[in-house]
Amino acid sequence: MVFFFQNLINALQWGSFYAMIALGYSMVYSILMLFNFAHGDIFMVGAYIGFGVATGLVALSASGFLALPGWMILVLTILLSMFLTSFVGMIVERVGYRPLRDAPRASAAITGLMIGIMLETGNLILLGARRVSFPPLIESVTYNVGGVFVTNKKIMIVLVSLSFMLALHLFVQKTRYGMAMRAMAFDYVVVPLLGIPINTIARLTFAIGSALAAVAGILFGVAYPVLDPYMGIVFGWKAFVAAILGGRGSIMGATLAGFLMGFIEIFVAMVFPSTLRDLIAYSIILLILVFRPHGFFGEPYSARLRL
Amino acid sequence: MKVNTKMITEDEVLVIVGPQSSKQAVPAGDVADNYATPMISPWSTNPDTTKDRPYVFRGCFLDPFQGPVVANFITNEFGYTKAAVLYDVASDYPKGLAEFFKEAWEKIHGEGSVVAYESFTTKDADFSSQLTKINQSGAEVLFTPQYYNEVALIVQQAKELGWTKPIVGSDSWGSAETVALCGEACYGLFFSTHYAAAGATGKTKAFIDRYKEKYDYTPDDVAALTWDSLGIVETAVKKCGKITGKIEKDRKCVRDAMAKIEKYAGITGQMTFTEEGDPIKCAVIVKISDKGEYEFYKSVCP
Amino acid sequence: MALLEIRHMTHYFGGLRAVHDYNLDVAPGQVRGLIGPNGAGKTTIFNLITGIHRPSEGRIELDGEEIVGRQPHEIAARGLGRTFQDLRLWRHMSVLDHVKMARYSKIGYGLVGAFFGTPRRNREEAQIEEKARELLEMMNVSHLADQPVPNLPYGAQRRVEMARALATEPKILFLDEPTAGMNPEELIQMMGIIRTVREKLGLAIFLIEHRLKMVMELCEIIQTLVFGEVIAEGPPDEIKNNPAVIEAYLGKEIVE
């Protein structure tokens, strides 16, 4: 039982990363009908921006100029990095995707891959191949709850990511921007004819997806404090699987599927030899897709029309 | 490879020291052996580098050697009987070493004494399910022959999951980055390696001091092994006496002299070559001190 | 002065000429019709004016301003509303949301408001909801406000689309076959609504229709389009009796 709960905690943390990255894929897909394959690398860039901001703030704090407690630095790091990373997303949209919006889908797909490679090598050139260590902003405290070990970091990570996901959900449901996104997700043509600029909405979607990726990147840095320029590749692929599993374009679906993937990976390793983890975990996901080819919340028909 | 061929056929070198990494040393050794030119790779730990190649030697011990070394050290030092292993199944070095350790450990403590044998894949960052399993297995010690970035993650996560027992590593821990990334979580842990800079004495200390003076940083194991390799070559060439100028004859003479070297007193320990051209030498167990330095703890011989 | 004025508009798709030398004047409050056989280019003309495609040649002025080359959302914001032949509703959104959505370009709260729920946002959201309900009332669908659109009968869906187009507060409304696929009862209701819209809101209306009865009843001036060219233009009686129209468009069918 202790074993089960321990893994439940492990899976919650792991799944929240998948969920946050999957959301970015899903949002962009839903409004532009393309997968931004650079998203995993935007996550990496977000983590590095977070690293830069946090290191800067720690140095500033240490210099005595502006003494800040660790949690305050973390909050500031998250907010600043979201802001900065959202620009990365907007630039990717403007430079990489807008000129290709009416190009064949395959061209848009490889654009994402190419931008991803550019971000990775750009990072290598900028910072070198050395892995960097994310500064420990909050002191790790481990609680032993009847044999189940929980750290304050784990609790923080799960709560912070859940609240960002909830905020996104409310934003999409309750605001004019979110509603425009939902409308665009269904019909690309009508939206501008109602006086709503689609480029603004596309840019905003990239910005929000990237800001979330930055949050994920920083929380990742808190949990796994070793960053490297290729950290976003496999992780991005897996989150992409979650986005598909959730139903392309569904926010709720991406969130649930992200957590589900975390649970499957962790629990498969709990029951089977860990060498077989990904083999079994992804066989299960493949099986789910066989029975639900459109994912959990996907539209079972292609009812959308494009310009 | 090309460089190696060029050195042998055009530059007519007598003997080659290098390359360091097995990735280059394995094919380079092939070329050297084909041209009957003695070669010594200071740092390549892959058995294939010297296997069936009379002209190829190495300056370090092999991967299979570290398995028993660590198993013996843990048994004698702590008296534990149940061990866990966590390794990267997608990477040759950790995978090989994990197997050698398991074999050696089970030879001492019997079948099933490695109570958890868990793996992951390169680039994984979350080891929580494996570590939870290891925690539950009743293991008394964890052996993880990983590289510095993974070591940091594994050790930190293990502590966060309530693991308080020792974690032991191999020479891949030896990079200065290990402690830089891992921080205090790694203090007090042990790993096996070729040599230790901190706490060195005699000849080894003299070498370190001179190296520091010249390059302004502490030499790592590659530097020390290269130094010893050069020393072995020097001894062999001296033994040969006169260089005749007939390159083929001289190369043969140097090779034979190297093969016959006994108990060469290097800064990384005493060395005698086996028939394969691998040295029989002792390994060093290093303890990561409370200041994060790699301290010589003890020498473990086969 | 004409509300909408088009001069010499020509458009090519690749090498194919879809519209040739098209001219139009719509006065405020006027109802104009565009008829023609399938493939004549009627919807293309709508798409050219609303900015979905940019005409190869020609000039379009809306309310005194040149709009060729403007983005669709800019043209919409200048007072042009439209419905679609193939009923483009958002299946996953409620009736009320459709109409609210269309009013979003009329309100001003920004991202800060969107993220943090400022009083301004709450006030504006409440205003558009009120306005949206008024429009639904006018379209006789207010009782369905909270239903998702696929639950509605076809005629009601058409009226929701109309309400959505009206929510942008257009000066001129483009209706692309507003009665396509309707049964006679729904048809009569729709005609009533178009009249109401015109009388109550004083809008100009430009409509594409297949049902001649409706066009003849509603429109003041009708254009007949064949292969991208206007072959006849005039009041219903004149069009009805124009031999070219009868031949090209009606064939041997008899106009009631």
Side-chain angles (χ1 to χ4, degrees), chain A residues 171 174-177 179-180 182-183 186-187 189-198 204 208 301 303 305 307, chain C residues 50 52 72-73 76 84 88-93 97 101 104-105 107-111 114-115 121 125 164 168:
Chain A
F171 177 81
K174 302 278 183 202
T175 72
R176 63 181 186 135
Y177 300 100
M179 211 177 250
R182 282 192 292 145
F186 204 80
D187 194 325
V189 176
V190 187
V191 173
L193 299 175
L194 299 175
I196 296 157
I198 49 170
L204 182 66
I208 292 177
Y301 45 83
L305 297 153
L307 277 179
Chain C
T50 50
I52 293 177
H73 70 90
F84 293 85
R88 301 184 108 142
L89 296 170
W90 303 301
R91 304 180 63 102
H92 57 316
M93 281 164 62
D97 279 354
M101 181 72 236
Y104 277 133
S105 63
I107 56 178
Y109 73 82
L111 273 177
F115 280 116
R121 173 186 125 185
E125 288 279 348
R164 180 177 72 181
T168 63

Side-chain angles (χ1 to χ4, degrees), chain C residues 128-139 142:
Chain C
I128 61 169
E129 176 155 349
E130 195 189 315
K131 182 79 185 169
R133 287 192 187 275
E134 274 172 32
L135 280 167
L136 291 176
E137 190 76 42
M138 193 194 286
M139 295 295 128
S142 56

Side-chain angles (χ1 to χ4, degrees), chain B residues 118-135:
Chain B
E118 296 294 319
S119 68
F120 59 93
T121 317
T122 316
K123 296 240 166 282
D124 277 1
D126 186 274
F127 309 104
S128 58
S129 56
Q130 291 94 329
L131 289 167
T132 303
K133 247 175 154 171
I134 288 168
N135 251 337

Side-chain angles (χ1 to χ4, degrees), chain C residues 3-4 24 26-34 46 81 162 166 171-176 178 191 193-199 201-208 214 218-221:
Chain C
L3 178 61
L4 179 67
L24 178 74
V26 186
Q30 194 178 32
V31 182
R32 305 268 313 214
L34 182 62
F46 267 29
M162 183 89 101
L166 289 174
K171 299 184 183 105
I172 180 164
L173 184 62
F174 281 31
L175 302 174
D176 195 344
M191 285 176 68
I193 278 174
I194 294 174
R195 285 203 180 92
T196 317
V197 165
R198 192 196 165 187
E199 282 156 21
L201 303 175
L203 293 184
I205 293 174
F206 184 30
L207 72 95
I208 295 176
M214 174 167 166
L218 285 174
C219 300
E220 294 158 40
I221 296 181

Side-chain angles (χ1 to χ4, degrees), chain A residues 51-191:
Chain A
F51 162 76
V53 172
T55 312
L57 286 173
V58 166
L60 197 68
S61 193
S63 74
F65 176 70
L66 190 71
L68 296 167
W71 64 268
M72 187 74 151
I73 294 182
L74 182 64
V75 170
L76 286 176
T77 301
I78 289 179
L79 294 178
L80 267 171
S81 309
M82 283 174 82
F83 183 72
L84 294 172
T85 313
S86 68
F87 282 96
V88 177
M90 288 191 273
I91 292 168
V92 167
E93 191 272 334
R94 184 67 191 84
V95 176
Y97 288 107
R98 197 179 302 171
L100 289 170
R101 200 169 293 157
D102 295 317
R105 299 289 86 191
S107 304
I110 60 160
T111 300
L113 295 175
M114 290 187 294
I115 290 174
I117 293 168
M118 282 156 63
L119 292 174
E120 288 151 21
T121 40
N123 184 337
L124 272 182
I125 293 164
L126 215 63
L127 295 169
R130 251 185 73 230
R131 291 164 173 96
V132 299
S133 166
F134 200 87
L137 298 176
I138 43 176
E139 185 116 2
S140 180
V141 183
T142 307
Y143 308 102
N144 182 346
V145 187
V148 177
F149 288 89
V150 192
T151 58
N152 55 344
K153 289 197 283 187
K154 272 190 181 156
I155 298 172
M156 187 274 291
I157 286 165
V158 175
L159 288 183
V160 170
S161 50
L162 279 178
S163 32
F164 272 105
M165 287 181 241
L166 182 69
L168 178 68
H169 178 75
L170 291 176
F171 177 81
V172 169
Q173 291 299 323
K174 302 278 183 202
T175 72
R176 63 181 186 135
Y177 300 100
M179 211 177 250
M181 285 176 185
R182 282 192 292 145
M184 239 171 114
F186 204 80
D187 194 325
Y188 210 93
V189 176
V190 187
V191 173

